[in-house]
């Protein structure tokens, strides 16, 4: 089960659990458990009883040998996972998440530029991880706090990393045009794109989402996939989107023209 307790507690399993509990109480060092890692999830190959006792004791860490299974990298989600894995491995930053292909590479370029700027400021030759930590503290974290204070990740339906990249792009474009834009101005511009929905709009969205879920359970209910995770079907049969925080209508696809219908038998 979720506590790694055997679903069928036979006598042998009970005795093994008791033996491991005694060893832990005596301060014995147990052998590492064997795990498979698939993306961000771990699966126990050997050591379920040791994990069960560790969870009983409120233990948050355990010695383990981990075999990581990497995806092939052909699907977009696989490419994104591998890019994040490489980003974390090189920078040590676990708290930055993006959902767009190429996003982690852009962040790595920005961190590399930040590393050069630190050297130009006479701060020695920082390692990539040192530069990444400084970039996170001085650049990303303050912007992420501004975004969170305005609830923009939820209102936009995107991660703080995605929004940070948008803001950085706007600032770079304004700089090329000769008019600078501060981070505060960029965040204010972003906030204007995602206005807070009114109470009536929030109630309408909640009701439409509820009725769409109920309709899908009925015979003949909606079964076709929605265009994005933020979409839902309204009571009028049209599809609406939550990304902007307002009822933005997506017109359902038009039926094919009569002349375009297939004439094959």
């Amino acid at each position: 089960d979720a506590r790694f307790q055997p679903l069928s507690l036979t006598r042998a399993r009970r005795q093994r659990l008791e033996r491991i509990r005694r060893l832990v109480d005596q301060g014995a060092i147990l052998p590492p458990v064997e795990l498979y890692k698939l993306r961000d999830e771990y699966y126990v190959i050997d050591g379920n009883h040791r994990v069960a006792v560790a969870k009983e004791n409120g233990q948050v860490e355990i010695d383990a040998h981990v075999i990581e299974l990497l995806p092939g990298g052909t699907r977009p989600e696989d490419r994104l996972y591998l890019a994040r894995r490489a980003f974390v491995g090189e920078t040590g930053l676990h708290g930055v998440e993006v959902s767009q292909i190429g996003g982690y590479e852009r962040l790595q370029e920005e961190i590399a530029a930040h590393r050069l700027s630190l050297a130009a400021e006479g701060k020695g030759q920082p390692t990539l991880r040192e530069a990444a930590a400084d970039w996170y503290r001085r650049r990303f974290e303050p912007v992420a706090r501004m975004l969170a204070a305005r609830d923009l990740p939820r209102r936009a339906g995107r991660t703080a990393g995605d929004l940070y990249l948008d803001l950085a792009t706007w600032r770079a474009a304004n700089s090329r045009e000769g008019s600078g834009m501060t981070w505060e101005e960029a965040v204010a511009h972003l906030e204007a794109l995602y206005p807070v929905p009114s109470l009536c709009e929030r109630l309408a969205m909640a009701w439409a989402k509820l009725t769409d879920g109920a309709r899908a359970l009925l015979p003949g209910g909606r079964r076709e996939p929605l265009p994005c995770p933020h979409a839902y079907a309204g009571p009028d049969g049209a599809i609406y989107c939550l990304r902007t925080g307002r009822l933005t209508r997506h017109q359902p696809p038009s039926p094919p023209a009569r002349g375009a219908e297939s004439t094959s038998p």
Side-chain angles (χ1 to χ4, degrees), residues 69-151:
L69 304 177
L70 297 177
T74 55
R75 298 180 303 173
E77 56 267 32
D78 293 341
R79 292 169 56 195
L80 192 63
Y81 173 80
L82 293 173
R84 173 174 172 75
R85 183 176 181 273
F87 175 81
V88 173
E90 292 183 13
T91 65
L93 299 178
H94 294 266
V96 183
E97 183 179 354
V98 299
S99 61
Q100 51 187 288
I101 299 296
Y104 287 110
E105 290 79 0
R106 287 180 58 194
L107 290 176
Q108 285 174 303
E109 292 173 0
E110 184 163 324
I111 291 171
H114 185 73
R115 183 185 183 187
L116 293 176
S117 69
L118 290 176
E121 293 171 5
K123 297 184 178 180
Q125 297 293 330
T127 65
L128 180 60
R129 288 201 166 204
E130 290 171 342
D134 189 80
W135 169 86
Y136 183 87
R137 183 177 62 256
R138 295 171 55 187
R139 182 72 60 82
F140 181 82
E141 194 172 34
V143 175
R145 281 200 298 265
M146 285 191 285
L147 294 171
R150 294 161 175 80
D151 199 24

Coordinates of all heavy atoms in Angstrom, one line a residue, residues 69-151:
L69 N 15.9 5.1 -15.8 CA 15.4 4.7 -17.1 C 15.1 6.0 -17.8 O 14.1 6.7 -17.5 CB 14.2 3.8 -17.1 CG 14.4 2.5 -16.2 CD1 13.1 1.7 -16.2 CD2 15.5 1.6 -16.8
L70 N 15.8 6.3 -18.9 CA 15.6 7.6 -19.6 C 14.7 7.3 -20.8 O 14.8 6.3 -21.5 CB 17.0 8.1 -20.1 CG 18.0 8.5 -19.0 CD1 19.3 9.0 -19.7 CD2 17.4 9.6 -18.1
P71 N 13.8 8.3 -21.1 CA 12.9 8.2 -22.2 C 13.7 8.3 -23.5 O 14.9 8.8 -23.5 CB 11.9 9.4 -22.0 CG 12.7 10.4 -21.2 CD 13.6 9.5 -20.3
G72 N 13.1 7.9 -24.6 CA 13.8 7.9 -25.9 C 14.1 9.3 -26.4 O 15.0 9.5 -27.2
G73 N 13.3 10.3 -26.0 CA 13.5 11.7 -26.5 C 12.9 12.1 -27.8 O 13.2 13.1 -28.3
T74 N 11.9 11.3 -28.3 CA 11.3 11.6 -29.5 C 10.0 12.4 -29.3 O 9.7 13.3 -30.1 CB 10.9 10.3 -30.3 OG1 10.1 9.5 -29.4 CG2 12.2 9.6 -30.7
R75 N 9.3 12.2 -28.2 CA 8.1 12.9 -28.0 C 8.4 14.2 -27.3 O 9.5 14.3 -26.6 CB 7.1 12.1 -27.1 CG 6.6 10.8 -27.7 CD 5.7 10.1 -26.7 NE 6.4 9.8 -25.4 CZ 5.7 9.3 -24.4 NH1 4.4 9.1 -24.4 NH2 6.4 9.1 -23.2
P76 N 7.6 15.3 -27.5 CA 7.9 16.6 -26.8 C 8.1 16.5 -25.3 O 9.0 17.1 -24.8 CB 6.7 17.4 -27.2 CG 6.1 16.8 -28.5 CD 6.4 15.4 -28.3
E77 N 7.2 15.7 -24.7 CA 7.4 15.6 -23.2 C 8.7 14.9 -22.8 O 9.3 15.2 -21.8 CB 6.2 14.9 -22.6 CG 5.9 13.5 -23.1 CD 4.9 13.5 -24.3 OE1 4.9 14.5 -25.0 OE2 4.2 12.5 -24.4
D78 N 9.2 14.0 -23.7 CA 10.5 13.3 -23.4 C 11.6 14.3 -23.6 O 12.5 14.4 -22.8 CB 10.7 12.1 -24.3 CG 9.7 11.0 -24.0 OD1 9.1 11.0 -22.9 OD2 9.5 10.2 -24.9
R79 N 11.5 15.1 -24.7 CA 12.6 16.1 -24.9 C 12.6 17.1 -23.8 O 13.7 17.5 -23.3 CB 12.3 16.8 -26.2 CG 12.5 15.9 -27.5 CD 11.9 16.6 -28.7 NE 12.6 17.9 -28.9 CZ 12.1 18.8 -29.8 NH1 11.0 18.5 -30.4 NH2 12.7 19.9 -29.9
L80 N 11.5 17.5 -23.3 CA 11.4 18.5 -22.2 C 12.0 17.9 -20.9 O 12.8 18.6 -20.2 CB 10.0 18.9 -22.0 CG 9.8 20.2 -21.1 CD1 10.4 21.4 -21.7 CD2 8.3 20.4 -20.9
Y81 N 11.7 16.7 -20.7 CA 12.2 16.0 -19.5 C 13.8 15.9 -19.5 O 14.5 16.2 -18.6 CB 11.6 14.6 -19.3 CG 12.3 13.8 -18.2 CD1 11.9 14.1 -16.8 CD2 13.3 12.9 -18.4 CE1 12.5 13.4 -15.8 CE2 13.9 12.2 -17.4 CZ 13.5 12.4 -16.1 OH 14.1 11.8 -15.1
L82 N 14.3 15.5 -20.7 CA 15.7 15.4 -20.8 C 16.4 16.7 -20.7 O 17.5 16.9 -20.2 CB 16.0 14.7 -22.2 CG 15.6 13.2 -22.3 CD1 15.8 12.7 -23.7 CD2 16.4 12.4 -21.3
A83 N 15.8 17.8 -21.3 CA 16.3 19.1 -21.2 C 16.4 19.6 -19.7 O 17.3 20.2 -19.3 CB 15.5 20.1 -22.0
R84 N 15.3 19.3 -19.0 CA 15.3 19.7 -17.6 C 16.3 18.9 -16.8 O 17.0 19.5 -15.9 CB 13.9 19.4 -17.0 CG 13.8 19.7 -15.5 CD 12.5 19.6 -14.9 NE 12.5 19.6 -13.4 CZ 12.7 20.7 -12.7 NH1 12.8 21.9 -13.3 NH2 12.7 20.6 -11.4
R85 N 16.5 17.7 -17.1 CA 17.5 16.8 -16.4 C 18.9 17.4 -16.6 O 19.7 17.5 -15.7 CB 17.4 15.4 -16.9 CG 18.3 14.4 -16.2 CD 18.0 13.0 -16.8 NE 18.9 12.0 -16.1 CZ 20.1 11.7 -16.5 NH1 20.6 12.3 -17.6 NH2 20.8 10.8 -15.9
A86 N 19.2 17.8 -17.9 CA 20.5 18.3 -18.2 C 20.7 19.7 -17.5 O 21.7 20.0 -17.0 CB 20.6 18.5 -19.7
F87 N 19.6 20.5 -17.5 CA 19.7 21.8 -16.9 C 20.0 21.7 -15.4 O 20.8 22.4 -14.8 CB 18.3 22.5 -17.1 CG 18.2 23.9 -16.4 CD1 18.8 25.0 -16.9 CD2 17.5 24.0 -15.2 CE1 18.7 26.2 -16.3 CE2 17.4 25.2 -14.5 CZ 18.0 26.3 -15.1
V88 N 19.2 20.8 -14.7 CA 19.4 20.6 -13.3 C 20.8 20.1 -13.0 O 21.5 20.5 -12.1 CB 18.4 19.7 -12.7 CG1 18.7 19.4 -11.2 CG2 17.0 20.4 -12.8
G89 N 21.3 19.1 -13.8 CA 22.6 18.5 -13.6 C 23.7 19.5 -13.8 O 24.7 19.5 -13.1
E90 N 23.6 20.5 -14.7 CA 24.6 21.5 -14.9 C 24.6 22.6 -14.0 O 25.6 23.2 -13.5 CB 24.6 22.0 -16.4 CG 24.9 20.9 -17.4 CD 24.9 21.5 -18.8 OE1 24.8 22.7 -18.9 OE2 24.9 20.7 -19.8
T91 N 23.4 23.1 -13.6 CA 23.2 24.3 -12.8 C 22.9 24.0 -11.3 O 23.2 24.9 -10.5 CB 22.1 25.2 -13.3 OG1 20.8 24.5 -13.2 CG2 22.3 25.5 -14.8
G92 N 22.4 22.8 -11.0 CA 22.0 22.5 -9.7 C 20.7 23.2 -9.2 O 20.3 23.2 -8.1
L93 N 20.0 23.8 -10.2 CA 18.8 24.6 -9.9 C 17.6 23.7 -10.1 O 17.2 23.3 -11.2 CB 18.6 25.8 -10.7 CG 19.7 26.9 -10.6 CD1 19.5 28.0 -11.6 CD2 19.8 27.4 -9.2
H94 N 16.9 23.3 -9.0 CA 15.7 22.5 -9.0 C 14.4 23.3 -9.1 O 13.4 22.7 -9.4 CB 15.7 21.5 -7.9 CG 16.8 20.5 -7.9 ND1 16.6 19.2 -8.4 CD2 18.1 20.6 -7.4 CE1 17.8 18.6 -8.3 NE2 18.7 19.3 -7.7
G95 N 14.5 24.5 -8.7 CA 13.3 25.3 -8.5 C 12.8 26.1 -9.7 O 12.0 27.0 -9.6
V96 N 13.4 25.8 -10.9 CA 13.0 26.6 -12.1 C 12.4 25.5 -13.1 O 13.0 24.6 -13.4 CB 14.2 27.2 -12.8 CG1 13.8 28.0 -14.0 CG2 14.9 28.1 -11.8
E97 N 11.2 25.8 -13.5 CA 10.5 24.9 -14.3 C 9.9 25.6 -15.5 O 9.2 26.6 -15.4 CB 9.4 24.1 -13.6 CG 8.6 23.1 -14.4 CD 7.6 22.4 -13.6 OE1 7.5 22.6 -12.4 OE2 6.8 21.6 -14.2
V98 N 10.1 25.1 -16.7 CA 9.5 25.6 -17.9 C 8.7 24.5 -18.6 O 9.0 23.3 -18.4 CB 10.5 26.3 -18.9 CG1 11.2 27.4 -18.2 CG2 11.5 25.2 -19.4
S99 N 7.8 24.9 -19.4 CA 7.0 23.9 -20.1 C 7.1 24.0 -21.7 O 6.3 23.3 -22.4 CB 5.5 24.0 -19.7 OG 5.0 25.2 -20.1
Q100 N 8.0 24.8 -22.1 CA 8.1 25.0 -23.6 C 9.5 24.4 -24.1 O 10.5 24.6 -23.4 CB 8.0 26.5 -23.9 CG 8.9 27.4 -23.1 CD 8.7 28.8 -23.3 OE1 9.0 29.4 -24.4 NE2 8.1 29.5 -22.4
I101 N 9.4 23.8 -25.2 CA 10.6 23.2 -25.8 C 11.6 24.4 -26.1 O 11.3 25.4 -26.6 CB 10.3 22.5 -27.1 CG1 9.4 21.3 -26.8 CG2 11.6 22.0 -27.7 CD1 9.9 20.3 -25.9
G102 N 12.9 24.2 -25.7 CA 13.9 25.2 -25.8 C 14.0 26.1 -24.7 O 15.0 26.9 -24.6
G103 N 13.1 26.0 -23.7 CA 13.1 27.0 -22.6 C 14.4 26.8 -21.7 O 15.0 27.8 -21.3
Y104 N 14.7 25.5 -21.4 CA 15.8 25.3 -20.5 C 17.1 25.7 -21.2 O 18.1 26.2 -20.6 CB 15.9 23.8 -20.1 CG 14.9 23.5 -19.1 CD1 13.8 22.6 -19.5 CD2 14.9 23.9 -17.8 CE1 12.8 22.3 -18.5 CE2 13.9 23.6 -16.9 CZ 12.9 22.8 -17.3 OH 11.9 22.5 -16.4
E105 N 17.2 25.5 -22.5 CA 18.4 26.0 -23.2 C 18.6 27.5 -23.2 O 19.7 28.0 -23.0 CB 18.3 25.5 -24.7 CG 18.5 24.0 -24.9 CD 17.2 23.2 -24.6 OE1 16.2 23.8 -24.2 OE2 17.3 22.0 -24.7
R106 N 17.4 28.2 -23.3 CA 17.5 29.7 -23.2 C 17.9 30.1 -21.8 O 18.7 31.1 -21.6 CB 16.1 30.3 -23.5 CG 15.7 30.2 -25.0 CD 14.4 30.8 -25.2 NE 14.3 32.2 -24.7 CZ 13.2 32.8 -24.6 NH1 12.0 32.2 -24.8 NH2 13.2 34.1 -24.2
L107 N 17.5 29.4 -20.8 CA 17.9 29.7 -19.4 C 19.4 29.5 -19.2 O 20.1 30.3 -18.6 CB 17.1 28.9 -18.4 CG 15.6 29.3 -18.3 CD1 14.9 28.3 -17.3 CD2 15.4 30.7 -17.8
Q108 N 19.9 28.4 -19.8 CA 21.3 28.1 -19.7 C 22.1 29.2 -20.4 O 23.2 29.6 -19.9 CB 21.6 26.7 -20.3 CG 21.2 25.6 -19.5 CD 21.3 24.2 -20.2 OE1 20.8 24.0 -21.2 NE2 22.1 23.3 -19.5
E109 N 21.6 29.7 -21.5 CA 22.3 30.8 -22.2 C 22.4 32.1 -21.3 O 23.4 32.8 -21.3 CB 21.7 31.1 -23.5 CG 21.8 30.0 -24.6 CD 21.0 30.3 -25.8 OE1 20.3 31.4 -25.9 OE2 21.0 29.5 -26.8
E110 N 21.3 32.3 -20.7 CA 21.2 33.5 -19.8 C 22.1 33.3 -18.6 O 22.8 34.3 -18.2 CB 19.8 33.7 -19.3 CG 19.6 35.0 -18.5 CD 18.2 35.5 -18.4 OE1 17.4 35.3 -19.3 OE2 17.9 36.0 -17.3
I111 N 22.2 32.2 -18.1 CA 23.1 31.9 -16.9 C 24.6 32.0 -17.4 O 25.4 32.6 -16.6 CB 22.8 30.5 -16.3 CG1 21.5 30.6 -15.6 CG2 23.9 30.1 -15.3 CD1 21.0 29.2 -15.1
A112 N 24.9 31.6 -18.6 CA 26.2 31.7 -19.1 C 26.6 33.1 -19.3 O 27.7 33.6 -19.0 CB 26.4 30.9 -20.4
A113 N 25.7 34.0 -19.8 CA 25.9 35.4 -19.9 C 26.1 36.0 -18.5 O 26.9 36.9 -18.4 CB 24.8 36.1 -20.7
H114 N 25.3 35.6 -17.6 CA 25.4 36.1 -16.2 C 26.8 35.8 -15.6 O 27.4 36.6 -14.9 CB 24.3 35.6 -15.3 CG 24.3 36.1 -14.0 ND1 23.8 37.4 -13.7 CD2 24.6 35.6 -12.7 CE1 23.9 37.6 -12.4 NE2 24.4 36.6 -11.8
R115 N 27.3 34.6 -15.9 CA 28.6 34.2 -15.5 C 29.7 35.1 -16.0 O 30.6 35.5 -15.3 CB 28.8 32.7 -15.9 CG 30.1 32.1 -15.4 CD 30.3 30.8 -16.0 NE 31.5 30.1 -15.5 CZ 32.0 29.0 -15.9 NH1 31.3 28.3 -16.9 NH2 33.1 28.4 -15.4
L116 N 29.6 35.5 -17.3 CA 30.5 36.4 -17.9 C 30.5 37.8 -17.2 O 31.5 38.4 -17.0 CB 30.3 36.5 -19.4 CG 30.6 35.2 -20.2 CD1 30.2 35.4 -21.7 CD2 32.1 34.8 -20.1
S117 N 29.2 38.2 -16.9 CA 29.1 39.5 -16.3 C 29.7 39.6 -14.9 O 30.2 40.6 -14.5 CB 27.6 39.9 -16.3 OG 26.9 39.1 -15.4
L118 N 29.6 38.5 -14.2 CA 30.2 38.4 -12.9 C 31.7 38.5 -13.0 O 32.3 39.2 -12.2 CB 29.8 37.1 -12.2 CG 28.4 36.9 -11.7 CD1 28.1 35.5 -11.1 CD2 28.0 38.0 -10.7
A119 N 32.3 37.9 -14.0 CA 33.7 38.0 -14.2 C 34.1 39.4 -14.6 O 35.1 39.9 -14.1 CB 34.2 37.0 -15.2
A120 N 33.3 40.0 -15.4 CA 33.6 41.4 -15.8 C 33.5 42.4 -14.6 O 34.1 43.4 -14.6 CB 32.6 41.8 -16.9
E121 N 32.6 42.0 -13.7 CA 32.5 42.9 -12.5 C 33.6 42.7 -11.5 O 33.6 43.3 -10.4 CB 31.2 42.6 -11.8 CG 29.9 43.0 -12.6 CD 28.7 42.5 -12.0 OE1 28.7 41.9 -10.9 OE2 27.6 42.7 -12.6
G122 N 34.6 41.9 -11.8 CA 35.7 41.6 -11.0 C 35.4 40.7 -9.8 O 36.1 40.7 -8.8
K123 N 34.5 39.8 -10.0 CA 34.1 38.8 -9.0 C 34.7 37.5 -9.2 O 34.2 36.4 -8.9 CB 32.6 38.7 -8.9 CG 31.9 40.0 -8.5 CD 30.4 39.9 -8.3 CE 29.8 41.2 -7.8 NZ 28.4 41.1 -7.6
G124 N 35.9 37.5 -9.8 CA 36.6 36.2 -10.1 C 36.1 35.4 -11.2 O 35.4 36.0 -12.1
Q125 N 36.4 34.2 -11.2 CA 35.9 33.2 -12.2 C 34.9 32.2 -11.6 O 35.4 31.1 -11.2 CB 37.1 32.6 -12.9 CG 38.0 33.5 -13.7 CD 37.3 34.1 -14.9 OE1 36.4 33.5 -15.5 NE2 37.7 35.3 -15.2
P126 N 33.7 32.6 -11.4 CA 32.8 31.6 -10.8 C 32.5 30.4 -11.6 O 32.6 30.5 -12.8 CB 31.5 32.5 -10.6 CG 31.5 33.5 -11.7 CD 33.0 33.8 -11.9
T127 N 32.3 29.3 -10.9 CA 31.9 28.1 -11.7 C 30.5 28.3 -12.2 O 29.7 29.2 -11.8 CB 31.9 26.9 -10.8 OG1 30.9 27.0 -9.7 CG2 33.3 26.7 -10.1
L128 N 30.1 27.4 -13.1 CA 28.7 27.5 -13.7 C 27.7 27.4 -12.6 O 26.7 28.2 -12.6 CB 28.5 26.4 -14.7 CG 27.1 26.4 -15.4 CD1 26.9 27.8 -16.1 CD2 27.0 25.3 -16.4
R129 N 27.9 26.5 -11.6 CA 26.9 26.4 -10.6 C 26.8 27.6 -9.7 O 25.8 28.0 -9.2 CB 27.1 25.1 -9.8 CG 26.8 23.8 -10.5 CD 26.6 22.7 -9.6 NE 26.0 21.6 -10.2 CZ 25.3 20.6 -9.6 NH1 25.1 20.7 -8.3 NH2 24.7 19.6 -10.3
E130 N 28.0 28.2 -9.4 CA 28.0 29.4 -8.6 C 27.3 30.6 -9.3 O 26.5 31.3 -8.7 CB 29.5 29.8 -8.3 CG 30.2 28.9 -7.3 CD 31.6 29.1 -7.2 OE1 32.2 29.8 -8.1 OE2 32.3 28.7 -6.2
A131 N 27.6 30.7 -10.6 CA 26.9 31.7 -11.4 C 25.4 31.4 -11.4 O 24.6 32.4 -11.4 CB 27.4 31.7 -12.8
A132 N 25.0 30.2 -11.5 CA 23.6 29.8 -11.6 C 22.9 30.2 -10.3 O 21.8 30.7 -10.3 CB 23.4 28.3 -11.9
A133 N 23.5 29.9 -9.2 CA 23.0 30.3 -7.9 C 22.8 31.8 -7.7 O 21.8 32.3 -7.2 CB 23.8 29.7 -6.7
D134 N 23.8 32.5 -8.2 CA 23.8 34.0 -8.1 C 22.7 34.5 -9.0 O 21.9 35.4 -8.7 CB 25.1 34.6 -8.5 CG 25.2 36.1 -8.2 OD1 25.4 36.4 -7.1 OD2 25.0 36.9 -9.2
W135 N 22.5 34.0 -10.2 CA 21.5 34.4 -11.2 C 20.1 34.1 -10.6 O 19.2 34.9 -10.6 CB 21.6 33.6 -12.5 CG 20.5 33.7 -13.4 CD1 20.2 34.7 -14.3 CD2 19.4 32.8 -13.5 NE1 19.1 34.5 -15.0 CE2 18.5 33.3 -14.5 CE3 19.0 31.6 -12.9 CZ2 17.3 32.7 -14.9 CZ3 17.8 31.0 -13.2 CH2 17.0 31.5 -14.2
Y136 N 20.0 32.9 -9.9 CA 18.7 32.6 -9.3 C 18.3 33.6 -8.2 O 17.2 34.1 -8.1 CB 18.7 31.2 -8.8 CG 17.4 30.7 -8.2 CD1 16.4 30.1 -9.0 CD2 17.1 30.9 -6.8 CE1 15.2 29.7 -8.4 CE2 15.9 30.5 -6.3 CZ 15.0 29.9 -7.1 OH 13.8 29.5 -6.5
R137 N 19.3 33.9 -7.4 CA 19.1 34.8 -6.2 C 18.8 36.2 -6.6 O 17.9 36.9 -6.1 CB 20.2 34.7 -5.3 CG 20.1 35.5 -4.0 CD 21.2 35.3 -3.1 NE 22.5 35.8 -3.6 CZ 23.4 35.0 -4.1 NH1 23.3 33.7 -4.1 NH2 24.6 35.5 -4.6
R138 N 19.6 36.7 -7.6 CA 19.5 38.1 -8.0 C 18.5 38.4 -9.1 O 18.0 39.5 -9.2 CB 20.9 38.6 -8.3 CG 21.9 38.6 -7.2 CD 23.3 38.9 -7.7 NE 23.4 40.2 -8.4 CZ 24.5 40.6 -9.0 NH1 25.6 39.8 -9.0 NH2 24.5 41.7 -9.7
R139 N 18.3 37.4 -10.0 CA 17.5 37.7 -11.1 C 16.2 36.9 -11.1 O 15.1 37.6 -11.1 CB 18.3 37.3 -12.4 CG 17.6 37.6 -13.7 CD 17.5 39.0 -14.0 NE 18.8 39.6 -14.2 CZ 19.6 39.6 -15.2 NH1 19.2 38.9 -16.3 NH2 20.8 40.2 -15.3
F140 N 16.2 35.6 -11.1 CA 15.0 34.9 -11.2 C 14.1 35.0 -10.0 O 12.8 35.2 -10.2 CB 15.3 33.4 -11.5 CG 14.1 32.5 -11.7 CD1 13.4 32.5 -13.0 CD2 13.5 31.8 -10.7 CE1 12.3 31.7 -13.2 CE2 12.4 31.0 -10.9 CZ 11.8 31.0 -12.1
E141 N 14.6 34.8 -8.8 CA 13.8 34.7 -7.6 C 13.0 36.0 -7.4 O 11.8 36.0 -7.1 CB 14.6 34.4 -6.4 CG 13.8 34.0 -5.2 CD 14.7 33.5 -4.1 OE1 15.8 34.0 -3.9 OE2 14.2 32.6 -3.4
P142 N 13.6 37.2 -7.6 CA 12.8 38.5 -7.4 C 11.6 38.6 -8.4 O 10.5 39.0 -8.1 CB 13.8 39.6 -7.6 CG 15.1 39.0 -7.3 CD 15.0 37.5 -7.7
V143 N 11.9 38.1 -9.7 CA 10.8 38.2 -10.7 C 9.8 37.2 -10.3 O 8.6 37.5 -10.4 CB 11.4 37.9 -12.1 CG1 10.3 37.8 -13.1 CG2 12.4 39.0 -12.5
A144 N 10.2 36.0 -9.9 CA 9.2 34.9 -9.6 C 8.3 35.4 -8.4 O 7.1 35.1 -8.4 CB 9.9 33.7 -9.2
R145 N 8.9 36.2 -7.5 CA 8.1 36.7 -6.3 C 7.1 37.7 -6.8 O 5.9 37.7 -6.3 CB 9.0 37.3 -5.3 CG 9.7 36.3 -4.4 CD 10.2 36.9 -3.1 NE 11.2 37.9 -3.3 CZ 12.5 37.7 -3.3 NH1 13.0 36.5 -3.0 NH2 13.3 38.7 -3.5
M146 N 7.5 38.6 -7.8 CA 6.5 39.5 -8.3 C 5.4 38.8 -9.0 O 4.2 39.2 -8.9 CB 7.3 40.5 -9.3 CG 8.1 41.5 -8.6 SD 8.7 42.8 -9.7 CE 9.9 41.9 -10.6
L147 N 5.7 37.8 -9.8 CA 4.7 37.0 -10.5 C 3.7 36.3 -9.5 O 2.5 36.4 -9.7 CB 5.3 36.0 -11.4 CG 6.2 36.5 -12.6 CD1 6.9 35.4 -13.2 CD2 5.3 37.2 -13.6
A148 N 4.3 35.7 -8.5 CA 3.5 35.0 -7.5 C 2.6 36.0 -6.7 O 1.4 35.7 -6.4 CB 4.4 34.2 -6.5
A149 N 3.1 37.2 -6.4 CA 2.3 38.2 -5.7 C 1.1 38.6 -6.4 O 0.0 39.0 -5.9 CB 3.2 39.4 -5.3
R150 N 1.1 38.5 -7.8 CA 0.0 38.9 -8.6 C -0.8 37.7 -9.1 O -1.7 37.8 -9.9 CB 0.5 39.7 -9.8 CG 1.1 41.1 -9.4 CD 2.0 41.6 -10.5 NE 2.4 43.0 -10.2 CZ 3.4 43.3 -9.4 NH1 4.1 42.3 -8.8 NH2 3.8 44.5 -9.2
D151 N -0.4 36.5 -8.6 CA -1.0 35.2 -9.0 C -1.0 35.0 -10.5 O -1.9 34.3 -11.0 CB -2.5 35.2 -8.5 CG -3.1 33.8 -8.4 OD1 -2.3 32.9 -8.3 OD2 -4.3 33.7 -8.5

